[in-house]
Amino acid sequence: VFIVREPAEFIRSQRAFLEKQGMRPEHIERQHIATANRLGNLARSYADRATLCHVIKFEDLVADPKRVVRALMDYLELPATEGYLDSVAAIIGDDSSHSRMLRTDKKSKIADEFEQYRSMLDAAQQKNLATFCHQFGYTLS
């Protein structure tokens, strides 16, 4: 099972979360740069197993958790009662202290932040990012 997220939103969320944790800017930058390589590795791993895998897009999970979890349970050949699906859906965006800790505020300048991130990457990392986007149906813009 591959769980993927739109890269610009992932970078924004990762930065905000690491800032919440008190990580220094230079450590966040190193983490961001390493992320491009990880995304490339994930895309290559998926390409090697595409017919055997199930992909969940984070955006779809948040937008329609019951449908996405039902599809996952079908893929895993496990039962998914309406009660179970309702309980999973209730977790998405709940107001527990754990959810609040994980939640990050969105900024209106996400495209600018992502372009700044992309400008830090070398050619190989740019290719890794492009491979991930192509493999999972995301755009770089």
Side-chain angles (χ1 to χ4, degrees), residues 32-41 117 121 125-126 128-129:
H32 277 357
I33 290 171
T35 293
N37 294 331
R38 289 186 196 105
L39 293 177
N41 290 339
Y117 163 70
L121 303 177
Q125 293 160 332
Q126 290 276 356
N128 281 331
L129 185 59

Side-chain angles (χ1 to χ4, degrees), residues 14 18 22-34:
Q14 181 185 57
L18 294 173
M23 204 173 253
R24 295 195 328 239
E26 60 272 18
H27 292 117
I28 293 171
E29 184 175 318
R30 272 200 308 270
Q31 183 73 18
H32 277 357
I33 290 171

